[in-house]
Amino acid sequence: MDRRRFLRAAGLTGVGVAGLGVLGGGIALAGDEGDHGKGGSEAGGPSDAAVLNFALNLEYLEAEFYLRALTGEGLKDNQIDGAGTLGEVTGGYKVNFETKLGKQYAAEIAGDENAHVDFLRKALGDAKVARPAIDLQDAFTAAATAAGVIKQGETFDPFKDETSFLLGAFIFEDVGVTAYKGASPLIANKTFLEAAAGILAVEAYHAGLVRTLLLAGGAADIANKISDARDSLDGPDDLDQGITDSDGDANIVPADANSIAFSRTPGQVLNIAYLNPAQVTKGGFFPAGVNGEVNTSDANG
């Protein structure tokens, strides 16, 4: 696909693509700048289309979580077909939001994630992957148990109330920001690199919103335990920060000493999604793995 055709397929014209919840991205283009046949910044790396399909898997997960929390229903049948094995979604139901603001925020993010799925599927065309099997039930309990939020044998349900929903959202949104940052070296085409900057901004808005609401709601201790659990999965480096610092002060923006967002590789993102520090191809929120070429977590165990 050439640049103009891609933008037409996305329903966009002119400048930037700022509303995409992609965790990486871009389709290999012909007749533009860079080595688009191979994709990525390193020889032998995944093609832009492969990275974009990896992003689509993650957008399926986010869209199903938010849509089910808001409406009790997930993606439509015409939004989930494609290459690979089509999977079912386990768990998820309509949340009884206690505040008007909480429900409005959930509605806005659900709309964003639904649009992201449509955008990626349209851009990928026949190359798009199907929605894989997604676990929105046992995976949350496993994550909360590993984080020490609940005891062995107890259940964590992110759909039972507004605070639980925000804690579930916290698991995804911070990972999305670091994934965008880490995906940028894999993007061969400048058009998609510009789009990635907009994508990162959208995910950062979502993450900052969720972190602020959790802090205001007095859930810092639990959120910080989730942050520590994520950090235990993705390798020895400290890539995660809680919503308060060691002094108990607010930490809405997790960044390094230069106030730059951290990066995660696709493999590290899958370590968290699969809830496993080892090199595996399935588990956690994707019990049968993700569809597409980029499907294996890093060996951090």
Side-chain angles (χ1 to χ4, degrees), residues 118-137:
D118 287 342
F119 173 83
L120 289 172
R121 286 171 54 82
K122 190 172 184 180
L124 283 160
D126 292 340
K128 66 183 181 290
V129 295
R131 182 195 66 195
I134 292 174
D135 185 344
L136 297 177
Q137 185 171 294

Side-chain angles (χ1 to χ4, degrees), residues 1-20 27 29 32 52 118-119 122-124 189-196:
M1 297 172 65
D2 64 26
R3 177 174 173 171
R4 289 186 299 275
R5 181 180 169 193
F6 176 88
L7 294 175
R8 286 198 303 270
L12 301 165
T13 57
V15 300
V17 187
L20 323 177
I27 296 176
L29 304 184
D32 208 342
L52 200 61
D118 287 342
F119 173 83
K122 190 172 184 180
L124 283 160
N189 180 268
K190 290 183 179 180
T191 299
F192 296 112
L193 187 58
E194 180 184 4

Side-chain angles (χ1 to χ4, degrees), residues 53-54 57 83-87 129-133 289-295:
N53 264 320
F54 171 71
N57 280 280
T85 303
L86 176 62
V129 295
R131 182 195 66 195
V290 297
N291 287 319
E293 298 174 28
V294 182
N295 56 31

Side-chain angles (χ1 to χ4, degrees), residues 66 69-70 95-110 162-163 165-166 209-210 213:
Y66 285 109
L70 181 69
V95 174
N96 182 23
F97 290 95
E98 290 92 357
T99 68
K100 180 179 179 180
L101 185 63
K103 186 173 183 179
Q104 288 178 334
Y105 283 158
E108 183 172 2
I109 298 177
E162 188 168 315
T163 299
F165 162 76
L166 290 170
L209 182 155
V210 170
L213 289 178

Side-chain angles (χ1 to χ4, degrees), residues 182-205:
S184 59
L186 303 176
I187 302 173
N189 180 268
K190 290 183 179 180
T191 299
F192 296 112
L193 187 58
E194 180 184 4
I199 293 164
L200 174 57
V202 170
E203 286 300 323
Y205 277 124

Side-chain angles (χ1 to χ4, degrees), residues 206-229:
H206 291 173
L209 182 155
V210 170
R211 293 170 75 93
T212 300
L213 289 178
L214 286 172
L215 182 60
D221 288 345
I222 299 177
N224 291 350
K225 289 180 179 180
I226 293 173
S227 171
D228 289 341

Side-chain angles (χ1 to χ4, degrees), residues 198-287:
I199 293 164
L200 174 57
V202 170
E203 286 300 323
Y205 277 124
H206 291 173
L209 182 155
V210 170
R211 293 170 75 93
T212 300
L213 289 178
L214 286 172
L215 182 60
D221 288 345
I222 299 177
N224 291 350
K225 289 180 179 180
I226 293 173
S227 171
D228 289 341
R230 287 191 306 230
D231 231 352
S232 71
L233 293 170
D234 61 11
D237 294 333
D238 186 4
L239 300 178
D240 219 299
Q241 295 176 12
I243 62 176
T244 57
D245 61 21
S246 58
D247 296 324
D249 295 327
N251 185 47
I252 300 303
V253 183
D256 66 15
N258 297 312
S259 291
I260 297 175
F262 296 98
S263 300
R264 281 189 176 96
T265 67
Q268 289 175 313
V269 172
L270 287 176
N271 284 126
I272 297 171
Y274 291 160
L275 299 178
N276 197 325
Q279 189 175 63
V280 295
T281 57
K282 61 182 179 180
F285 294 99
F286 295 107

